[in-house]
Amino acid sequence: MSGVRLLVGTKKGAFILSADGKRNAWDVQGPHFAGWEVYHLKGSPADPDRLYASQSSGWFGQKIQRSSDGGTSWEPMGDAFVYDGVPGTHQWYDGTQHPWEFKRVWHLEPSLSDPDAVYAGVEDAALFRTADGGKSWQELPGLRTHGSGPRWSPGAGGMCLHTILLDPATPDRIFIAISAAGAFRSEDGGASWRPINQGLHSQYIPDPTAEVGHCVHRIAMHRSRPGVLFMQKHWDVMRSDDAGDSWREISGNLPTDFGFVIDVHAHQPDTIYVVPIKSDSEHYPPEGKLRVYRSRTGGNEWEALTRGLPQRDCYVNVLRDSMAVDSLDPCGVYFGTTGGQVYGSADGGDSWAPIVRDLPPVLSVEVQTLP
Amino acid sequence: MKLRVALPTHLRTLAKVDGEVELDLDPPATLGSALTALEVRYPVLRGAIRDHGTLRRRNFVRFFACQQDLSLESADTPLPDAVVRGDEPLMIVGALAGG
């Protein structure tokens, strides 16, 4: 019988939550890397038992761990993330220029076809790649050095490259997003890049329609339609129908268009999910009600999904890498909170139940659908 | 000479060791040579105590020995005699930080 495996990164370790296809009884394994921040872990689409994890600590830096048995055992891999050449400077909070400094890996994106190839999005923003299963990492410097780097600046969480989308139809096409620089696209496997932020409007930067400087929180695509992108920006939910060349707002009737996560239903490319958060200064749901909003029309028309979610006194946040969908039918949707809950829905979001309630603050959720 | 090194919990977990570790070290025994020997014996500790490339001490890591704070000393600083003799450990400590 098919099943699912949730890979949950938290402020104090990683957890693996497993269930069969019914998704109503869960086994909890962990914490792995106890006491360390695990910003992200993800499995290879080409070999589901091959997992990669980003383990970091303010004291002891960055470690990369790899599992070849679905997360039962792990081995440390290479963790030297060294910028190519002289790193240069980016804009600092006070407007001055500040040297690029590696801090941590935010996101790991395994290749769609090669279990040994993985992309890593790091803070300060840059894209790295390994071709040897994580033993060594090389920067793809064309992104950081393409020209607009000195105008990138850190968001409140740091200047992080947090989103990496690999186009399944066009293998050399990669989308990435940086807070706070914006979205970028490569057509040559990461060698060269161009900003794709036309149509974004950000009141908090001197030129609200600037080429770069936008605080993009997350981008999502459906693998059957990779030219259509959905974006949760700092404020505004956006959509592009031309692979990022232009964007239009689809916030519609959302109670607030601030938020972090966005994801797409596994079988319905126009069904998308967000979790509205009150504001950038109040990182919790409006009215103390934790609501996932679903649009079945690709945006603009949203419905609140509340069944099984707390509808009073709830003041958690849902961070940008903390939502995922499985590919079972009906589609499962999952998200984690800074309060340590991981919620799951086995019916496309109609109803929810907590899988776990008391983990450390959740930094990321990924899901693997297993045969 | 046998050098004793005491690691903080998270680094012991990374290195998969319990208690202190012992290192064979050729003279002259310096802070830098001890850290290099430690990293050669336990490669997973590379980057966790000193930055990759620059070998600069990470900000929240401290080096103590014989009631002395060696954290700000240069890499070629000789280790105290009691550490060289193995009577006292070189202590690598995660600095107190936060609340």
Side-chain angles (χ1 to χ4, degrees):
Chain A
M1 184 182 192
S2 60
V4 295
R5 185 159 60 205
L6 292 187
L7 310 176
V8 181
T10 80
K11 290 274 279 186
K12 293 291 179 184
F15 297 82
I16 298 179
L17 319 178
S18 304
D20 64 21
K22 294 178 185 171
R23 296 162 288 180
N24 57 10
W26 293 84
D27 174 64
V28 179
Q29 187 192 106
H32 299 282
F33 328 121
W36 292 68
E37 293 177 324
V38 179
Y39 267 60
H40 193 224
L41 54 168
K42 192 158 188 178
S44 163
D47 176 2
D49 279 341
R50 173 69 69 86
L51 309 182
Y52 294 89
S54 168
Q55 170 192 9
S56 63
S57 150
W59 285 262
F60 306 117
Q62 178 69 51
K63 294 291 159 192
I64 296 290
Q65 300 274 352
R66 189 180 83 182
S67 174
S68 297
D69 56 12
T72 303
S73 64
W74 296 85
E75 58 179 324
M77 307 307 294
D79 49 56
F81 290 87
V82 179
Y83 296 114
D84 185 79
V86 178
T89 61
H90 61 79
Q91 190 163 254
W92 195 234
Y93 295 101
D94 61 3
T96 61
Q97 288 293 297
H98 190 83
W100 239 273
E101 296 169 335
F102 173 82
K103 296 184 179 65
R104 58 178 62 80
V105 173
W106 278 65
H107 186 95
L108 293 163
E109 191 65 37
S111 155
L112 299 174
S113 56
D114 179 358
D116 284 335
V118 186
Y119 296 88
V122 312
E123 176 189 359
D124 284 340
L127 185 65
F128 285 76
R129 186 175 188 273
T130 178
D132 55 15
K135 292 176 189 156
S136 64
W137 297 85
Q138 294 79 39
E139 188 189 7
L140 297 169
L143 173 64
R144 185 174 48 79
T145 62
H146 88 95
S148 66
R151 287 178 278 148
W152 303 0
S153 60
M159 198 174 82
C160 52
L161 195 163
H162 50 72
T163 299
I164 304 169
L165 297 178
L166 305 176
D167 186 331
T170 311
D172 280 340
R173 176 180 277 184
I174 307 172
F175 302 94
I176 65 95
I178 295 168
S179 175
F184 296 79
R185 187 180 71 212
S186 171
E187 302 283 1
D188 54 13
S192 64
W193 296 83
R194 56 169 293 222
I196 49 167
N197 300 304
Q198 190 176 342
L200 305 189
H201 190 272
S202 301
Q203 298 273 15
Y204 47 80
I205 57 178
D207 174 3
T209 60
E211 180 186 46
V212 298
H214 302 274
C215 192
V216 175
H217 284 180
R218 186 73 179 157
I219 300 176
M221 71 157 67
H222 190 275
R223 59 178 292 114
S224 74
R225 209 173 56 176
V228 178
L229 302 174
F230 298 98
M231 173 192 292
Q232 173 68 66
K233 193 163 67 66
H234 192 87
W235 295 97
D236 301 335
V237 180
M238 309 293 294
R239 171 178 176 144
S240 172
D241 289 292
D242 50 17
D245 285 341
S246 63
W247 296 88
R248 60 189 167 90
E249 187 173 358
I250 55 168
S251 304
N253 62 330
L254 288 170
T256 161
D257 57 21
F258 186 90
F260 291 94
V261 295
I262 189 163
D263 216 332
V264 187
H265 189 287
H267 312 300
Q268 300 167 11
D270 264 329
T271 296
I272 51 179
Y273 302 88
V274 295
V275 179
I277 297 297
K278 185 173 180 186
S279 72
D280 50 4
S281 57
E282 296 164 287
H283 278 188
Y284 45 72
E287 304 171 65
K289 300 176 179 177
L290 183 56
R291 291 167 291 188
V292 176
Y293 276 73
R294 177 175 62 194
S295 171
R296 295 183 183 278
T297 56
N300 285 321
E301 299 159 28
W302 299 87
E303 58 178 325
L305 307 175
T306 62
R307 197 186 313 163
L309 298 175
Q311 295 305 296
R312 55 177 293 184
D313 305 327
C314 182
Y315 292 92
V316 297
N317 196 0
V318 180
L319 299 179
R320 69 190 80 222
D321 228 350
S322 296
M323 178 177 266
V325 299
D326 69 31
S327 57
L328 296 176
D329 189 11
C331 174
V333 189
Y334 309 88
F335 69 94
T337 78
T338 55
Q341 300 86 31
V342 177
Y343 291 98
S345 168
D347 52 16
D350 291 340
S351 63
W352 299 84
I355 298 170
V356 284
R357 288 183 179 274
D358 299 301
L359 297 187
V362 174
L363 301 174
S364 62
V365 173
E366 293 287 352
V367 59
Q368 296 179 285
T369 307
L370 303 173
Chain B
M1 66 188 75
K2 289 279 189 191
L3 193 74
R4 295 161 52 201
V5 179
L7 296 170
T9 302
H10 285 320
L11 297 190
R12 288 202 305 272
T13 305
L14 270 184
K16 297 182 174 148
V17 297
D18 293 318
E20 294 178 355
V21 300
E22 285 193 348
L23 300 174
D24 291 315
L25 196 63
D26 294 327
T30 64
L31 183 58
S33 68
L35 295 173
T36 298
L38 180 69
E39 292 168 348
V40 167
R41 172 95 170 267
Y42 302 101
V44 71
L45 298 182
R46 288 182 182 143
I49 299 167
R50 304 183 290 181
D51 288 340
H52 288 290
T54 66
L55 299 184
R56 195 176 62 186
R57 175 182 56 85
R58 291 187 55 77
N59 286 339
F60 292 154
V61 173
R62 310 292 293 185
F63 308 132
F64 296 154
C66 303
Q67 290 77 53
Q68 298 174 53
D69 184 352
L70 306 179
S71 307
L72 302 180
E73 302 298 328
S74 66
D76 55 5
T77 299
L79 290 170
D81 289 344
V83 173
V84 175
R85 288 195 306 268
D87 294 340
E88 293 283 339
L90 170 64
M91 302 174 69
I92 297 175
V93 177
L96 291 178

